[in-house]
Amino acid sequence: MSTPFWGPDFDALQQQDPEIAGVVLSELDRLRGGLQLIASENLTSPAVLAALGSTLSNKYAEGYPGRRYYGGCQVVDVAEEIGIARTKELFGAEHANLQPHSGASANLAAYAAFAKPGDTVLAMDLKQGGHLTHGSKVNFSGQWFNAVSYTVREDSELIDYDQVRDLAREHRPKIIIAGATAYPRLIDFKAFREIADEVGAIFMVDAAHFIGLVAGKAIPSPVSYADVVTATTHKVLRGPRGGMILSRAEHAKAIDKAVFPFSQGGPLMHSVAAKAVAMKEASTPAYQAYTAQVIANAQALAKSLEAEGMRAVSGGTDTHLALIDLRPIGVTGSEAEARSDAARITLNKNAIPYDPAPPMKPSGIRVGSPSVTTQGMVESDMAEIGRLLGRAVKAEQGTPAGDAELAEVAEAVSALVARNPAYPRP
Ligand code: DSN
């Protein structure tokens, strides 16, 4: 290569802006010093970070490769073309758009491609594991569309496909959406496809959470069943923060127009390039092994939390996350989140299906294995994490004994992560 790489130049940042340099280092310390169990996060590779921290960030490139509204796009065109080709190949998709800035932006574009304000959409209830963009009244999806929600069964805590069919027949939605942010089980895409066909609806899968498991061939793919698949690139997939859309060729034009110019302006070309890097990484046997381990680890973690007296919603997990009901141990999700935080274990409080408690003090937590698996942890580590988490969430924070227990757990967490560090020091 004739031109040496220019940036990320951390020394320059430290000199020019020590405050923000300090923040960057503190965050690295936080990642290295604790356990990241947020199911939607991961630890991106240095290659992805290098693409993100590159001069591609400077370029305006409204439009698509070969059809831009700005000059000088010949170089960024190559990045986007490579990214699209890799994505189509990886997922067996007829069309891919890598420009959505986020999962929510991808969903906005997908709605716009197939529905008009006032149309009916059918999606999973936010309180039962669906996403904000699946029809919540505080989001565009609930304000611009007539959003009808399906739920999980109260007994099994699994999606009630009979209810989905009944609601589809009754409301004749324009779009039926499968996908969730806190549903630990596999989704029957074939059943959804059949329901969509019966009522003439577009079938959209929001695969934000599990697209990385699909990339690694660890779970079945929705691509052959869905008209459109929206996703994020930063969860199990381990790319940069961002979104993407896969679709059938017949919908390619509608999708591309809905992203630009309808809902976005200039794409973030450094992020598009970093998505291309992530697709290459996700095409390797090593990544496939990673995704299989992600699932094995989530299952081991759920089991170890059950051994601590908690309950795994739906009895366990088939994916990278588990939803944990804390009522059997008499702790709220917010208490558990705060206590875990004090013990250097990062996770989020979460509502459980049919939660009797309010959203800010829900009955559960959500835990995920993508980050700790990237660090190289395996089932035996997850058993230890479960024991530590059990001690942390039961410690009465604010009492001398509880605080001492949390400090002890924090020490044990430090020892555990030292064996499998995040972003190991060279
Ligand atoms: N915030 C993401 C999650 O944590 O699942 C979804 O957008």
Side-chain angles (χ1 to χ4, degrees), residues 38 40 131 181 209 235 348 366:
I38 300 227
S40 46
H131 188 249
T181 57
H209 259 271
K235 297 188 173 86
N348 62 282
R366 189 186 64 165

Side-chain angles (χ1 to χ4, degrees), residues 14-26:
Q14 271 183 316
Q15 269 176 15
Q16 281 174 32
D17 192 338
E19 275 173 287
I20 291 297
V23 171
V24 172
L25 287 180
S26 297

Side-chain angles (χ1 to χ4, degrees), residues 116-122 135 137 141-148 171 173:
K116 293 263 174 287
D119 283 346
T120 297
V121 297
L122 175 60
K137 284 289 167 221
S141 55
Q143 296 197 8
W144 295 350
F145 300 100
N146 172 36
V148 178
H171 296 279

Side-chain angles (χ1 to χ4, degrees), residues 149-168:
S149 302
Y150 59 85
T151 58
V152 296
R153 288 177 59 104
E154 205 160 355
D155 51 2
S156 61
E157 300 175 313
L158 300 177
I159 291 171
D160 185 345
Y161 295 92
D162 292 334
Q163 184 207 36
V164 176
R165 186 178 301 102
D166 289 346
L167 289 170

Side-chain angles (χ1 to χ4, degrees), residues 125-376:
D125 192 337
L126 173 66
K127 295 195 292 288
Q128 302 228 331
H131 188 249
L132 191 64
T133 56
H134 294 178
S136 163
K137 284 289 167 221
V138 296
N139 181 259
F140 77 87
S141 55
Q143 296 197 8
W144 295 350
F145 300 100
N146 172 36
V148 178
S149 302
Y150 59 85
T151 58
V152 296
R153 288 177 59 104
E154 205 160 355
D155 51 2
S156 61
E157 300 175 313
L158 300 177
I159 291 171
D160 185 345
Y161 295 92
D162 292 334
Q163 184 207 36
V164 176
R165 186 178 301 102
D166 289 346
L167 289 170
R169 283 176 179 164
E170 184 185 343
H171 296 279
R172 315 298 292 188
K174 216 37 181 285
I175 308 176
I176 297 178
I177 300 163
T181 57
Y183 185 69
R185 295 303 190 173
L186 297 180
I187 294 172
D188 186 344
F189 302 120
K190 186 163 175 278
F192 269 102
R193 176 78 258 172
E194 284 166 5
I195 295 167
D197 283 343
E198 187 187 323
V199 300
I202 287 287
F203 176 34
M204 165 176 162
V205 175
D206 181 343
H209 259 271
F210 55 82
I211 194 75
L213 299 176
V214 174
K217 305 195 187 331
I219 64 168
S221 170
V223 169
S224 63
Y225 294 106
D227 293 285
V228 59
V229 176
T230 58
T232 51
T233 48
H234 52 271
K235 297 188 173 86
V236 184
L237 191 52
R238 210 163 50 186
R241 289 198 73 89
M244 69 174 187
I245 304 179
L246 311 174
S247 78
R248 295 184 171 176
E250 66 189 280
H251 303 309
K253 243 191 182 153
I255 291 292
D256 285 354
K257 280 164 68 177
V259 174
F260 172 82
F262 182 79
S263 59
Q264 288 190 176
L268 313 177
M269 295 314 298
H270 58 307
S271 179
V272 169
K275 289 171 189 173
V277 175
M279 298 306 166
K280 184 169 184 181
E281 291 179 353
S283 306
T284 59
Y287 180 81
Q288 289 183 8
Y290 162 73
T291 55
Q293 189 65 52
V294 163
I295 296 175
N297 281 354
Q299 290 171 339
L301 181 57
K303 234 186 216 160
S304 65
L305 294 176
E306 287 197 316
E308 291 294 319
M310 303 169 224
R311 185 183 76 87
V313 167
S314 82
T317 179
D318 305 317
T319 64
H320 60 298
L321 69 86
L323 193 55
I324 305 296
D325 180 0
L326 299 168
R327 289 175 302 176
I329 58 167
V331 172
T332 68
S334 356
E335 284 167 337
E337 185 184 289
R339 293 171 183 180
S340 305
D341 215 32
R344 298 198 196 131
I345 303 173
T346 305
L347 48 74
N348 62 282
K349 59 179 173 288
N350 215 103
I352 57 169
Y354 303 98
D355 202 329
M360 283 312 285
K361 273 194 182 174
S363 302
I365 50 172
R366 189 186 64 165
V367 290
S369 56
S371 297
V372 291
T373 308
T374 292
Q375 286 172 245

